[in-house]
Amino acid sequence: MSKVKVIIAGPRGKMGSEALRMIEKNDDLELVACLDHKFDGMSIKEFENLPNLDAKIYTDIESCFQSVEADVLVDLTTPEFGYLHTKTAINYGIRPVVGTTGFTEEQLQEVTDLAEEKGIGVIIAPNFALGAVLMMQFAKWAAKYFPDVEIIEKHHDNKLDAPSGTALKTAALIKEVRQSKLQGHPDEKETIPCARGADIDGMKIHSMRLPGLVAHQEVVFGSTGENLTIKHDSFHRESFMTGVKLAIDNVMKLDILVYGLENIME
Ligand code: NAP
């Protein structure tokens, strides 16, 4: 069986380094290069805290894609670079698996159109934790019967975007089935701006950022005399890697962009 040749963008990061460890453990995957914005020409094995994999680091995406034969690009960087990496990979016929969050609606639409035009599989997953994907699906189911809902997402304090991609995706799924309504008291007033959180169609989203947290979310539904809370916790970044592997396996069979792992989970 031929191995899937993978490039990791962001290999020194918290997610990227975990993805390197995942590749090391999977015999059907081969790390062929990495994309970073520093350490050009070095090998991953030269870094003490990274797996002993002999893959060259490129800081120039064009020369990386021109020099290396690859099937999949796994992007775990920042929204600005993740978007550029994704577009460039599609243009080179390399299938992107994107974990980087914070793409705008316009950027998502642009890469969706580009993938379709080129007939290249792309997976963008705001959350690779399978438990989180199920939490979102269960929340969508519950929202049909409980239209009063608030989302509380909690992440480590190095996270750049708020609300999280998962919270936005959860709200989008809920919106598909929830009867639109303004929540809380009609005369409610915030004495401190944003006290009630961000608003999507009357739903509220609250973002916490604290050291020690990884990625956590509660979707709280309220109704007469009862509450329902659907909660998911990622305690370690390893929790995301089952989803990264699933996405790499599936992106090889796609010729369009798929947004969200639920669309490839049977
Ligand atoms: P991180 O630890 O800050 O890692 C990001 C890495 O990207 C850093 O090593 C950074 O290098 C590097 N980088 C910056 N610019 C780059 C460029 N132009 N080319 C290549 N590498 C570049 O962040 P993280 O926690 O791993 O998260 C990475 C992304 O994944 C974020 O967007 C985050 O929201 C997302 N995320 C997704 C999931 C999911 O399940 N989908 C889960 C967790 C996180 P420097 O440190 O030197 O700048």
Side-chain angles (χ1 to χ4, degrees):
M1 192 181 65
S2 66
K3 294 187 180 201
V4 177
K5 296 184 174 66
V6 182
I7 296 174
I8 300 278
R12 292 173 301 108
K14 292 178 282 297
M15 286 289 283
S17 55
E18 214 48 69
L20 294 177
R21 285 179 207 108
M22 184 274 292
I23 291 180
E24 195 182 27
K25 284 187 214 145
N26 280 279
D27 291 340
D28 58 341
L29 302 181
E30 181 187 355
L31 184 74
V32 290
C34 285
L35 274 173
D36 206 326
H37 62 133
K38 33 185 136 151
F39 305 111
D40 191 45
M42 281 182 72
S43 171
I44 290 297
K45 68 177 183 185
E46 292 176 67
F47 292 81
E48 235 171 58
N49 56 338
L50 298 181
N52 186 28
L53 293 165
D54 191 13
K56 188 172 158 184
I57 295 176
Y58 290 81
T59 51
D60 180 52
I61 191 164
E62 300 277 346
S63 65
C64 177
F65 290 168
Q66 280 160 19
S67 321
V68 178
E69 199 189 304
D71 301 305
V72 176
L73 168 77
V74 176
D75 195 275
L76 299 160
T77 61
T78 62
E80 185 192 349
F81 290 103
Y83 164 67
L84 289 174
H85 293 163
T86 304
K87 277 203 325 186
T88 313
I90 298 171
N91 282 325
Y92 273 85
I94 297 172
R95 292 151 193 269
V97 165
V98 183
T100 305
T101 56
F103 282 26
T104 63
E105 284 297 322
E106 292 74 32
Q107 289 173 333
L108 275 176
Q109 192 55 55
E110 204 181 316
V111 287
T112 303
D113 294 345
L114 187 62
E116 190 174 349
E117 182 195 321
K118 304 275 179 189
I120 291 283
V122 180
I123 294 180
I124 299 186
N127 201 318
F128 281 122
L130 301 189
V133 175
L134 292 174
M135 166 195 64
M136 289 186 257
Q137 294 301 310
F138 298 153
K140 180 179 177 182
W141 186 12
K144 208 168 162 184
Y145 304 98
F146 293 85
D148 287 270
V149 52
E150 307 220 354
I151 299 170
I152 306 163
E153 57 97 341
K154 311 172 194 181
H155 283 82
H156 58 89
D157 57 346
N158 285 321
K159 187 166 175 61
L160 294 177
D161 51 321
S164 69
T166 301
L168 289 172
K169 172 84 184 179
T170 309
L173 288 171
I174 288 176
K175 208 175 154 192
E176 283 176 27
V177 296
R178 172 180 170 269
Q179 185 196 332
S180 190
K181 71 174 288 191
L182 202 65
Q183 292 180 192
H185 195 284
D187 297 332
E188 179 178 272
K189 277 193 184 60
E190 288 178 327
T191 53
I192 298 176
C194 308
R196 289 287 290 121
D199 188 291
I200 294 187
D201 201 30
M203 279 181 264
K204 302 293 179 186
I205 303 184
H206 311 271
S207 299
M208 279 172 60
R209 297 292 176 264
L210 287 172
L213 292 170
V214 179
H216 316 261
Q217 181 168 293
E218 288 173 40
V219 188
V220 186
F221 295 93
S223 186
T224 318
E226 63 174 331
N227 274 186
L228 169 67
T229 302
I230 302 171
K231 181 169 183 276
H232 176 263
D233 298 280
S234 278
F235 298 112
H236 190 277
R237 284 177 183 78
E238 207 178 342
S239 65
F240 300 113
M241 295 305 135
T242 320
V244 176
K245 175 70 168 71
L246 186 74
I248 292 174
D249 293 345
N250 277 270
V251 81
M252 295 303 294
K253 302 172 209 155
L254 294 171
D255 55 8
I256 52 161
L257 183 146
V258 168
Y259 183 78
L261 279 197
E262 66 280 7
N263 295 307
I264 57 166
M265 283 166 75
E266 289 177 8

